[in-house]
Structure formats: C-alpha cells, structure tokens
Amino acid sequence: MKIRLLLLTLLSFSFAIYNSSAQEIKGSFEMPQLVRQADINSLQWLDDGKILVGGRINFYEDQSVSHLIRLNNDGTLDDTFLGTSDHVVMTIDTLTTGEIIVGTNAHIRKLSADGVMIEELLLSEDDNLEHIVLGEDFMLVVVYHNYSVRRVSKYDLDLKQDEDFTTLNFSGHLMDVALHQGKVLVSGFLLMKDGQSISSVSRFNMDGTEDETFVFSVSVPESWGDLDGIPFEKLYVTDEDEIYIQARAYNGFLKLSATGNQTAFVFDDTDFRIDVVDASFIDQDNNIYYIGYSNYYGNNDSYGRRLVKYDGNGNLIDDFQISMLTEKNPKDPIISVNLDGDVLVGNINNLQNRYGLNKIQSSGLVVTGFTPEVGTYGSIEVAEVDGDRFVVAGDFNRLNDFITNDIAVLDLNGSVDESFSFNGALERTPTDIGFYNGNIFVANGSEVRKFLSDGQIDETFNTQPEFLFQGFSIVWFGENIHIQSDGKIVTTSPNGVFRMDENGNPDNSYGPYYPSPTITTAFDSDMDKNDRVIFGGNYDQLKDGVFSDIAKINSDGTFDESFQVVRDSSSGYWPGITNITALTNGETIVFGFFERFSNYAAPRRMVKLDKDGKVDTRFLSFVNQTFNVAAGNLDNYTSFRGGFMVAGSNSYQIIDDEFVFNYQLHVFNNSGIYQTEFGIPDAFQPTKRIIPLIINNNDIILISEFRSEDQAPIHGIRLKVNNLPKITSHIENIVLDEAGFNLIYDHLEVEDSDNVYPDDFEIQVYDGLDFSVNGTTIIPSEGFSGELEVLVTVKDGSNESNFVVIPMSVGNPLSADDDLGIEVFPNPTSDIVRIKAHDSAEIEIRDLAGNSIAILDGPSNFDLSKYEPGVYLFRIKDSDGKVVVKKVIKQ
C-alpha cells in the first residue's frame, strides 16, 4: 500500500475574537499592598519654612493622601493643609498672596494658602500641560497639543485666557519657557515656529512676533557638536536679567547677556566632568546645583551620579560636600533651595531617606533626622516560584507595614515571610531571579546579587566579575540568570552569554560568548532541564560559532551542533526576539516582533521549534489561524496541564493621569489552538505587565497591577484554570466510500479531570487536503483514492483539546506498481526535480505548512535549490481526475 502524507491546512475553521468567560478567583489568596517612594514632580519652599510637595503621591507614612501635600520644616505632615489633588500634580507655584497655582496633565487650579479650591480650569482633551510660568499678574501656560505642537498661551491669575495674546505654536523640541524683560523666552533644539526654523534660544514679544533685538550668539566646545543639534533644556533668569541655560546631556551652563550674547562662561571640564545632567537649580545668589552622571572628580574616577555646587561664575564650591546618589529610581531627581541655602532633593533614595525626599544643609551634609515617608504604589517587575513560596522583586519599600526593599518572599496564599527582609538598596530595578541551596540570586541588568535566607546580601559574592577574551576585558552585564544543577550561574544580556561559579567568579571554560555584530536589546534566553541555554536575538554568530539569531549551548559550554535555526531569507529580516522558553520535551517556544521566522509567515509572532531548531509547521498553522486577537509584546510563557499561557497588551487608557496599556492573558493548548473562553474577571483587569506563576498544575497566581480609577491597585490574584481535555485514543482502520464517514463520541476516548465526557462536549474536525467536512462527517474529494490525515479535537464547553491525527483510507489505494505512470525524480534532491506524467496533468507543489509554492501547467522540471531543506509535496492530478501525491525530500 502506498502511504499518503497530507498537510494540515486550516481553510475554513476560525475562532471568534476573544470572547472570554471569567475564571474562578481563589478567595484565600490576598497580596499585600506595595508602597514605594513617591514620584515627586514639584517642590516648593514656603516663606514660613514649610514645604509643598506635588507628584504621584498616595501615602504619607500609613495615611492615605492624594498627590499634593504640605510638610512642616521637620518633614512631618501638616494636617491643616487641605489641598489634596485627585490627579497627579505636575507643577506647583505660589503667588505673592500665598495662593497656590497647581497644574496636572489636564487641569490648572488655584488654591488658597490652606489648599481650598478657588478656581479650576479644565484643559482641552487634546492638550497635556507641560509648564506654567508666573508673571506679576498673569501666567504663561505651555501645553503639548495633540502630541505634535507645543502651544504657549496667556491667562490671568483667575485662570481666564487672554484672548488678545497671540498663541505661540512651536514644533520640533521646545524644552523650556521663561519670562524675560516682559517677553517670552524659549529654549530647545531644532525649533520651528509656525513652520519656520528659529534659533535654539529665542525671544518673542507679547503680540507673538519675534523680538529681533535678542540674538542668540554663543560659542560652544567642539565636542558638543553642531549648535543646532544641542538640546538647550533649562532656562534661568537672574534679577539682573542675565540668562543661564543648561545644555541637556552636556557638561555646562551657558551664561548670556540680556540681549542673547554669550559671556565668558562655560564650565571647566577639568574640574568636574558630567556626562548626563539630570537636574539643576540656580538659587537667589546664582549658585548652580547639579545632579548628573560623572566619571571624574579629582582623584575619584568612579562612575556614578553626584550632587555638586558651583558659584555663578562656574567655579566649583569645594566646601560643599559632594554626594554619590543611587541610579535605581527611573524618575529624574529634583532640586529646590530656600533662602537659607537648605537644599531639598527628591527622588533619591540612598542619602538618608529611602522614600526619596532628603534635606541637605548649605554645606552639603545630609540632615539625618529628615525622613518623611512620602510614598505611592509599588510595583513588581519579576517573580518566580520556589517550592512552597514565591519571590517578588521590583520597586517597593514595604509590603503593608513590613519593611523590605525591592525584594520579598511570600507564601502561596500571599502572606509575607517576615523572616526575609532586605534593608539595603539595589542600584537598579531587578530583571531576573534564580535559586540555589536556599539562596536567592537577583540580576538587575548590571550585576548579580546573592541573598541569604534572611535577606542579607552575601558580601563575599563577586557581583561584577571580569571576563577576559584573548587577554582583553569584555563588558559584562547580567540581565537574565540561569542556575545549573551544579550551582554554576549562566547570565545573559545583549552583550552575550557568561558563566560564573556559585561565588560569582568568572568561569572562562564556558565561553564567554558574545554576539557579532552587537546584539540589539530585543533578546532573551532560557535553560532547559539538561542545563542547556538557548540564547536568541539578532546576531550573525556567537564568538567563532556559525549560529545565527538562536543558539543552544550545552552544559559544558560547547554548542549543540544539532540545533540549527534557519535564518529567514526575507529582505530586512530582524528576529526581534522578546521571549524564549525551553520546554521539557526538548522543544522551544519563541516570541518576538517578527512577522516571519525561518521562511515561514508568523503574523502572530509566535513559533515552536523542535529539538533540532526546525519550525513546527502544524503548531504555527494553528496559531496563525485561531489567534485573531490584536495583541503586542507577547511574553511570559507559562505552561500548565494541557496548555500554556502568554501575556500581551493591546489598547491603552489614561488612569490617574498615567498612560497605561490594557494587558491580557492568552491561553493555548499544546497544539497551539487558541482557547477563546479563558478570561480574567472583569473586576481585575490588569494595567501593567502580567507575570503568571503556576502553583500546581492548574492553579495560577497572576502578578500585575489590577486597578481602576476609583480603587487602590491589587498586585496579584490567584485563579483556578479549567483543565484542558485530552484525546487519549481514537478509532482506527477507517475506510471511506463516496458517502464519507461520520465521527461520533464513541470513536474517541477523552480524559478531562473537571468535566465528564461526552456531556456538553463537541467534536471539531478540521478541513484538510482532498476531503471536505460537513459537521463531523468527512467526505473525500471526487476522484480521490488514497490515504487521508484527518485532524480532530474536542471542546468541553470552555476549552479545546490537543489535536489527534486519524488516518483514513479512501477506496482502493494505489499500489506501488499502479501510480498512473507518474514519476518524480531524483528523490532526495538538492536542486532539479523532474516530473513524468500525462501532458494534461495538473501539478501543484506545497511545503509542509500547507503553503502553495508553485503551480505547473504540465510535466516539467522544477528547481528546489532556492528553497529550505525539508519535505515538499508534489500533488499531481491526471486527466481522469485521479490524484497522486509524491513526497520529495530537499537536501
């Protein structure tokens, strides 16, 4: 009997768009409330020594507050101030009357000195507030209109717009606005007004015309590059009408006269080199305060963020204590100085106050007793299960009232394990977690830290090992971390693959492997059960290996030569890999930004590779056809009994003046068929990246931020996932006639732990080659004789099972000696295939994904040399309507 190989082609079946039904919530699970340092956007010293603080603020100590508070001079909360804000505060300023002007993204409000609302202006929904500049009896309001144009308008102090003022419209990069001699001074780079290019620093009259008496004339160091491309960020106007301009990302202020000419003032790089300026402030005496990254100061060549002070002539003030500052907080620092020279620094958590708001004396010494706990909701960036507990790491200072910084251990009901507490500060937000011998290893993109069981850091662990290649030091970063069964630690990052021993010492017997050319930030890695690491990104080779884009490295550091992923031959191909997951059966799941992979269309940006790196075409076809949801950033693969889930995002919304994506969790069975009925309960819609953790086969903890406008966020929920059915056996030896064959429940055996087969079950038969489907009846195509492969699943009312292939015979299959005189040779081949058949034969050639790659008018030669190695099907239909399929192997 001639064996007939047929392909899966999903021609007619498709799921409806994500129509979810909620899963069961586990009520015994309750995550603690996470609190971290607030995002401080504005600081204002008041004449009586009190301090206004605005930003994203939800807590003062254990007390709930809302975005705008007033502190006493000692840092305690001033309960007499009533000025809470229901929106994140972007800017604060005070009038000579003591009244307060407060700006949010969408509002401008005038409050009394005690915080009582007096006036409110709601901006257009197309406008986002950026600056408010106060004059004596008016204010300038700068908005970002429709994310394309900055507009400067004038309002009186009762928040009424001055219609006589000509609104100024700027494109390009407008970075600051100030009042100068009663006129509008602007700074930025590549600036345009009303479609016409203007100088990076320009001044305008109140009627909207450019002030031609002001000419920006400066000379900058050659290292700064072309003047037009320099971002001039901050403007400061002195009482003498001189202008100080901070150049973003460069070491220097420029000092201008009132007409725009540069005076003899540029910072001296030999004293203090700042590579990136994060914050600046000029006090009433024209002293300049800087926070920025530096790799040079005197005899100290360590790189880091520092706070320094200069006088108004650009001379470093040596008796001001220079402070090293943490670089973890993604929010830029902020500075404010009062008349006594006391300095407030916000968003810095390693000086005195782990909540980020610090007071510094005029000498530069930190005030030790000033520790206001001004907080907002914390976040979890990574989480991993370790037996009967799970570990979370992210950006937080405490969980409920339990203090631990950035990392915590919880039991499976969400309770905090208080035997683990970390009171230090990580320099950066954690990116991955690993476990070995009761210890917790945390990577944060620049280093790996080893935590002991009580939360103390093992100071003997080498956090930043030096790796050498041919005598040269290689730049090392630890972003992903994989711990082998012998305790050795493999780290990966865009820079490559490196291994350390369990004490953090470099293990140069294993690589190091670094990509060439340099890998992009779209990368990922995973380790399988045999300690082999799969590393993927966008590279031509690893070290001297021949592997492109994805490679598998054995536990001894050699390459797995059998694992060869074919690079897509499409023009402009970029893999954009964001997630790699090694499965227990030796297969690999890959997600990313790609739309093609190894010469197969992958519009859903998800593929499964076999143990040799070849694409599973049936899995790919199921995913491409059944997953119709518009989703991006698919990652965080997590498997459970019978299936797996991935997280993604689609649309966005604004919550509490914050731009957030709507995140989803997508569930598939192991065949790649999308499960339409899975859904997170509507009351728990995630607004941050989802981290799914499988607790037992079908219990899952979802770590995210679940919230709406009128409630505090919940950082995790626990769900019960419906078990997926599984077809364990099926009828065999089926012979079809022209009437076809009807598949019924008794022809299948199904295992489902939470449903009873066949009650409420449905059989699904997929269309394929050379047969059609009517309900559950398989009808062979007219004139066809041979073997069919029929793909079948069952649905339990909520989820769909894996597929099984049921072979069926149609009529009397052709024998090896009776194949209509058709020949296809040579087979196997590396290039030309010759086809011998009747002149009127119809010939179609397909790949194993079911894609038609050629249709021939009759017998001829066909060149396979430009196609990837694999199996190709030559389907030949003769003049009598009989069909023969020849399987050809391309070497």
Side-chain angles (χ1 to χ4, degrees):
M1 177 180 293
K2 183 182 249 333
I3 300 299
R4 175 87 159 87
L5 178 65
L6 292 180
L7 273 296
L8 165 67
T9 55
L10 302 176
L11 302 177
S12 64
F13 181 82
S14 67
F15 281 119
I17 297 291
Y18 197 72
N19 181 20
S20 66
S21 61
Q23 307 301 298
E24 176 188 348
I25 289 283
K26 287 275 190 176
S28 60
F29 180 85
E30 184 176 352
M31 280 284 288
Q33 181 66 65
L34 275 64
V35 178
R36 66 172 174 88
Q37 65 184 62
D39 293 333
I40 299 174
N41 295 324
S42 190
L43 288 171
Q44 180 78 40
W45 284 98
L46 302 178
D47 291 341
D48 60 2
K50 294 185 178 181
I51 305 161
L52 285 175
V53 185
R56 185 179 303 281
I57 306 170
N58 298 98
F59 303 97
Y60 179 86
E61 297 181 346
D62 293 329
Q63 182 175 338
S64 292
V65 295
S66 187
H67 305 316
L68 177 62
I69 59 175
R70 188 166 69 190
L71 302 179
N72 298 311
N73 190 270
D74 61 359
T76 57
L77 184 67
D78 181 358
D79 291 325
T80 67
F81 184 74
L82 305 176
T84 57
S85 171
D86 55 349
H87 293 273
V88 173
V89 172
M90 306 303 296
T91 183
I92 309 169
D93 215 332
T94 53
L95 305 177
T96 56
T97 60
E99 294 169 329
I100 305 165
I101 300 296
V102 177
T104 74
N105 273 337
H107 303 81
I108 301 174
R109 290 165 173 159
K110 184 163 77 168
L111 310 180
S112 72
D114 292 326
V116 177
M117 178 84 73
I118 300 173
E119 302 284 352
E120 178 181 49
L121 171 66
L122 177 63
L123 300 175
S124 165
E125 63 179 13
D126 295 327
D127 292 337
N128 288 298
L129 180 68
E130 292 200 338
H131 303 286
I132 296 177
V133 183
L134 288 183
E136 288 187 8
D137 57 359
F138 67 91
M139 67 181 73
L140 298 179
V141 175
V142 185
V143 299
Y144 195 15
H145 178 71
N146 207 24
Y147 297 103
S148 60
V149 177
R150 266 85 179 182
R151 290 182 170 176
V152 181
S153 303
K154 182 181 178 185
Y155 289 79
D156 65 25
L157 298 184
D158 292 326
L159 311 188
K160 302 295 189 296
Q161 186 167 0
D162 182 351
E163 301 294 346
D164 294 330
F165 178 86
T166 302
T167 297
L168 305 175
N169 296 295
F170 298 95
S171 55
H173 302 272
L174 180 69
M175 305 189 80
D176 202 8
V177 176
L179 282 167
H180 184 242
Q181 295 186 337
K183 300 177 183 181
V184 182
L185 187 68
V186 301
S187 66
F189 71 106
L190 302 178
L191 275 175
M192 301 182 75
K193 178 182 177 292
D194 300 328
Q196 299 295 317
S197 294
I198 61 173
S199 175
S200 298
V201 180
S202 299
R203 192 169 69 184
F204 294 87
N205 301 309
M206 285 300 179
D207 62 1
T209 60
E210 187 166 1
D211 180 5
E212 296 182 356
T213 67
F214 182 90
V215 179
F216 182 48
S217 177
V218 299
S219 175
V220 298
E222 209 175 288
S223 61
W224 287 24
D226 184 67
L227 184 65
D228 291 337
I230 297 173
F232 291 106
E233 184 175 34
K234 291 288 291 182
L235 293 168
Y236 296 95
V237 177
T238 72
D239 291 339
E240 295 78 26
D241 283 338
E242 291 181 313
I243 302 166
Y244 288 85
I245 308 172
Q246 175 207 318
R248 176 72 170 178
Y250 294 93
N251 176 26
F253 269 79
L254 301 181
K255 186 178 180 182
L256 307 181
S257 69
T259 58
N261 294 314
Q262 180 183 358
T263 62
F265 177 84
V266 174
F267 276 4
D268 184 352
D269 290 347
T270 61
D271 275 345
F272 188 81
R273 180 57 186 255
I274 293 181
D275 295 327
V276 179
V277 177
D278 286 333
S280 63
F281 189 89
I282 296 183
D283 66 17
Q284 71 279 357
D285 297 322
N286 296 339
N287 293 311
I288 301 171
Y289 301 79
Y290 247 4
I291 292 179
Y293 287 94
S294 166
N295 58 6
Y296 179 80
Y297 173 67
N299 295 322
N300 183 353
D301 61 356
S302 62
Y303 186 80
R305 184 189 260 171
R306 292 177 170 87
L307 168 65
V308 294
K309 181 180 178 181
Y310 286 85
D311 67 21
N313 294 314
N315 300 307
L316 188 68
I317 297 177
D318 291 328
D319 59 358
F320 183 84
Q321 179 71 41
I322 291 176
S323 297
M324 286 291 292
L325 308 175
T326 183
E327 56 186 69
K328 170 181 170 274
N329 189 14
K331 186 72 178 175
D332 280 343
I334 185 170
I335 306 171
S336 183
V337 184
N338 68 7
L339 297 176
D340 296 326
D342 293 330
V343 183
L344 286 175
V345 177
N347 303 323
I348 295 294
N349 68 356
N350 74 324
L351 288 175
Q352 170 66 24
N353 184 9
R354 62 195 179 91
Y355 284 88
L357 183 56
N358 298 271
K359 184 191 290 186
I360 298 172
Q361 299 173 12
S362 57
S363 64
L365 295 176
V366 178
V367 179
T368 58
F370 186 87
T371 56
E373 294 187 10
V374 181
T376 188
Y377 300 118
S379 64
I380 296 171
E381 303 302 325
V382 291
E384 294 287 349
V385 175
D386 181 30
D388 59 356
R389 64 178 187 167
F390 66 101
V391 177
V392 297
D395 187 7
F396 50 84
N397 298 110
R398 58 182 169 91
L399 293 80
N400 290 339
D401 58 355
F402 180 72
I403 295 174
T404 182
N405 290 340
D406 303 327
I407 181 168
V409 177
L410 296 88
D411 68 24
L412 299 184
N413 285 324
S415 299
V416 180
D417 179 357
E418 296 189 3
S419 68
F420 182 98
S421 177
F422 173 54
N423 292 320
L426 296 177
E427 289 187 357
R428 294 185 179 180
T429 301
T431 57
D432 204 3
I433 299 172
F435 307 102
Y436 187 74
N437 276 352
N439 300 312
I440 301 171
F441 296 81
V442 175
N444 65 11
S446 66
E447 62 182 4
V448 174
R449 290 283 189 175
K450 179 181 179 182
F451 288 86
L452 305 176
S453 59
D454 60 357
Q456 298 299 308
I457 285 183
D458 183 349
E459 299 294 348
T460 67
F461 184 83
N462 185 7
T463 63
Q464 293 183 315
E466 182 183 24
F467 289 89
L468 300 176
F469 176 66
Q470 295 180 352
F472 293 95
S473 179
I474 301 172
V475 177
W476 170 84
F477 298 104
E479 194 157 331
N480 290 356
I481 182 170
H482 311 292
I483 302 181
Q484 296 180 281
S485 54
D486 59 1
K488 290 185 177 180
I489 303 166
V490 179
T491 66
T492 66
S493 74
N495 287 63
V497 185
F498 306 85
R499 188 167 74 175
M500 304 176 283
D501 64 24
E502 62 178 296
N503 296 313
N505 300 311
D507 179 0
N508 285 306
S509 69
Y510 184 107
Y513 299 112
Y514 52 92
S516 176
T518 302
I519 197 170
T520 67
T521 54
F523 91 103
D524 196 38
S525 61
D526 197 14
M527 188 169 68
D528 68 14
K529 64 180 182 180
N530 296 315
D531 290 346
R532 294 177 298 191
V533 170
I534 300 98
F535 176 74
N538 181 22
Y539 53 84
D540 294 331
Q541 64 177 16
L542 277 180
K543 198 178 176 183
D544 55 356
V546 295
F547 298 91
S548 299
D549 302 329
I550 300 182
K552 186 182 288 188
I553 305 171
N554 296 315
S555 61
D556 62 358
T558 61
F559 285 100
D560 182 348
E561 300 288 346
S562 67
F563 186 81
Q564 296 280 348
V565 177
V566 175
R567 172 173 279 190
D568 197 283
S569 60
S570 302
S571 175
Y573 166 70
W574 179 58
I577 292 168
T578 58
N579 186 273
I580 292 175
T581 299
L583 307 183
T584 56
N585 62 0
E587 297 175 327
T588 305
I589 297 279
V590 180
F591 305 101
F593 299 123
F594 50 79
E595 294 189 355
R596 291 184 56 81
F597 198 94
S598 290
N599 295 317
Y600 293 103
R604 308 304 178 225
R605 302 172 180 181
M606 179 193 319
V607 295
K608 183 165 74 171
L609 309 178
D610 68 16
K611 61 182 180 61
D612 296 323
K614 294 183 175 57
V615 172
D616 182 335
T617 55
R618 278 182 167 157
F619 178 93
L620 180 61
S621 295
F622 272 127
V623 168
N624 287 349
Q625 293 294 321
T626 65
F627 185 40
N628 296 321
V629 178
N633 302 320
L634 294 176
D635 64 4
N636 284 338
Y637 174 102
T638 303
S639 63
F640 61 95
R641 181 182 292 152
F644 65 93
M645 57 187 63
V646 296
S649 61
N650 55 0
S651 60
Y652 64 87
Q653 60 181 314
I654 303 296
I655 294 181
D656 198 12
D657 280 353
E658 183 179 15
F659 179 86
V660 295
F661 280 96
N662 295 320
Y663 285 84
Q664 299 171 330
L665 199 65
H666 304 291
V667 176
F668 300 79
N669 68 22
N670 287 332
S671 299
I673 299 172
Y674 185 46
Q675 307 295 296
T676 59
E677 299 299 322
F678 181 90
I680 300 172
D682 290 340
F684 299 95
Q685 289 306 302
T687 57
K688 288 191 176 178
R689 177 173 170 264
I690 303 171
I691 307 170
L693 304 174
I694 295 296
I695 301 306
N696 52 48
N697 286 317
N698 289 79
D699 262 17
I700 175 174
I701 291 176
L702 300 182
I703 302 296
S704 182
E705 185 173 278
F706 305 91
R707 64 173 174 153
S708 61
E709 286 193 43
D710 58 351
Q711 62 180 202
I714 297 172
H715 298 283
I717 58 176
R718 183 167 170 176
L719 303 178
K720 175 69 175 177
V721 179
N722 182 40
N723 288 337
L724 273 61
K726 181 179 181 180
I727 302 174
T728 56
S729 65
H730 54 77
I731 190 172
E732 296 182 349
N733 302 319
I734 302 170
V735 179
L736 284 70
D737 56 21
E738 294 179 355
F741 178 81
N742 185 37
L743 194 66
I744 62 175
Y745 292 121
D746 290 345
H747 294 149
L748 306 172
E749 290 187 8
V750 175
E751 178 184 287
D752 192 339
S753 62
D754 48 17
N755 294 279
V756 178
Y757 181 80
D759 296 347
D760 298 322
F761 274 75
E762 174 187 350
I763 297 174
Q764 174 65 54
V765 182
Y766 284 84
D767 283 350
L769 277 176
D770 297 318
F771 68 91
S772 60
V773 178
N774 183 6
T776 58
T777 300
I778 299 95
I779 305 169
S781 300
E782 183 178 354
F784 176 79
S785 179
E787 296 287 326
L788 300 177
E789 287 186 342
V790 180
L791 274 66
V792 177
T793 67
V794 295
K795 298 179 70 176
D796 63 6
S798 296
N799 296 307
E800 188 166 0
S801 73
N802 61 305
F803 74 82
V804 294
V805 179
I806 301 180
M808 299 185 182
S809 301
V810 181
N812 296 314
L814 297 172
S815 68
D817 299 327
D818 183 17
D819 57 3
L820 309 179
I822 294 171
E823 296 183 49
V824 178
F825 61 93
N827 189 13
T829 183
S830 60
D831 43 44
I832 300 298
V833 178
R834 295 174 172 82
I835 304 169
K836 178 182 176 183
H838 192 276
D839 289 344
S840 61
E842 299 174 8
I843 302 168
E844 181 181 15
I845 303 168
R846 298 189 180 194
D847 62 21
L848 275 182
N851 301 310
S852 178
I853 64 173
I855 297 177
L856 308 180
D857 293 334
S860 62
N861 296 338
F862 185 74
D863 188 0
L864 277 174
S865 61
K866 65 179 181 180
Y867 297 96
E868 295 297 332
V871 176
Y872 294 85
L873 303 178
F874 286 63
R875 185 180 187 275
I876 306 168
K877 184 177 181 180
D878 75 355
S879 56
D880 296 327
K882 294 184 177 180
V883 177
V884 170
V885 176
K886 297 285 188 177
K887 180 173 65 174
V888 175
I889 299 174
K890 161 67 189 324
Q891 295 177 325

